[in-house]
Amino acid sequence: MARPRTPLLSRERIVAAALRLIDDEGLDALSTRRLATELSVSGPSLYNHFATKDELLDAVVDSVIGEVDLSMFGGAGAPAADATPWAQALRDWARSYRAALAAHPNIVPVLAQGPGRRPNALRLADAVFGHLVEAGWPRGQATRIGALMRYFVTGSALASFAAGFPADAQVYDAADYPHLGEAHRLAGHRGTVDEGAFETGLEALLDGLALRYSRLPERC
């Protein structure tokens, strides 16, 4: 029997193609017709795997979340002696989380809506919350810390601060913007500025959380 000219269609192949399309051209480029063309299949064949575009987007988002390292949180029932201290775990996780989002910035607006029913996103939420509770944080505060970290990381990945400043020095008239005489240089230092801002914010958050942690009632 002759072999098929194209690989068999699967959820994984569809998700990978959709993510490539979003990475290259943005969310608006994703449509059933365009995706079918990219995969060299008929449009209706996609519905055998995903009933709606929203279902497909959820799978794409979850595939990105699946790139985030959760190893620093150990697993349920892991020995306390083997656990990464909560502050270092949050630091390592936040960096991995941001790296995954930075690799796929066009999908961040959908991801920011919350975990929904996405398995990888729910595993992430479970790992963060469980680690904080096991470290002695009250459940309510652990929930808020998880939310805070997600807001911070997704916000940092939504856009570049440095790239938002035009490289035209004439935009920054000293009479109107006396403190922005060097702002036209920011876009040329995008990586340094944005990465530095993320690291500064991350350390400030963790310092503040460490102070709150020191004020918790004594843990058994």
Side-chain angles (χ1 to χ4, degrees):
M1 184 173 66
R3 297 179 62 183
R5 293 183 179 179
T6 58
L8 294 175
L9 201 58
S10 66
R11 287 178 64 91
E12 292 75 17
R13 186 169 169 240
I14 294 170
V15 167
L19 181 57
R20 284 195 302 271
L21 186 58
I22 293 169
D23 283 345
D24 292 344
E25 300 183 33
L27 280 167
D28 290 342
L30 182 63
S31 68
T32 300
R33 177 177 297 180
R34 180 65 188 282
L35 188 56
T37 299
E38 293 291 320
L39 290 165
S40 300
V41 299
S42 64
S45 65
L46 298 176
Y47 293 111
N48 293 327
H49 299 274
F50 295 99
T52 66
K53 180 179 176 179
D54 286 343
E55 184 182 334
L56 172 58
L57 273 175
D58 270 351
V60 173
V61 168
D62 209 43
S63 73
V64 173
I65 293 298
E67 298 176 12
V68 180
D69 182 15
L70 300 179
S71 63
M72 66 289 296
F73 297 120
D82 297 337
T84 302
W86 67 267
Q88 186 60 48
L90 287 183
R91 180 181 290 107
D92 294 342
W93 165 66
R95 288 170 175 164
S96 177
Y97 195 7
R98 181 172 182 266
L101 302 194
H104 310 285
N106 292 333
I107 200 68
V108 175
V110 182
L111 182 148
Q113 295 171 9
R117 298 175 182 271
R118 303 162 188 157
N120 286 329
L122 290 171
R123 275 191 285 272
L124 184 153
D126 181 76
V128 175
F129 176 77
H131 196 74
L132 290 171
V133 170
E134 289 172 6
W137 284 97
R139 295 174 68 86
Q141 292 196 47
T143 299
R144 291 190 287 274
I145 292 169
L148 166 66
M149 297 300 294
R150 189 170 70 83
Y151 294 154
F152 173 66
V153 174
T154 55
S156 74
L158 279 171
S160 165
F161 175 82
F165 288 84
D168 182 358
Q170 296 183 7
V171 170
Y172 310 98
D173 190 306
D176 296 321
Y177 315 109
H179 305 295
L180 296 182
E182 300 296 316
H184 64 286
R185 302 181 188 277
L186 286 173
H189 300 277
R190 175 175 176 171
T192 302
V193 173
D194 293 347
E195 184 67 26
F198 174 78
E199 288 294 330
T200 298
L202 179 59
E203 293 306 320
L205 281 175
L206 293 175
D207 286 348
L209 290 174
L211 181 59
R212 294 176 72 93
Y213 188 73
S214 71
R215 294 172 178 171
L216 292 175
E218 186 174 348
R219 293 164 293 283
C220 298

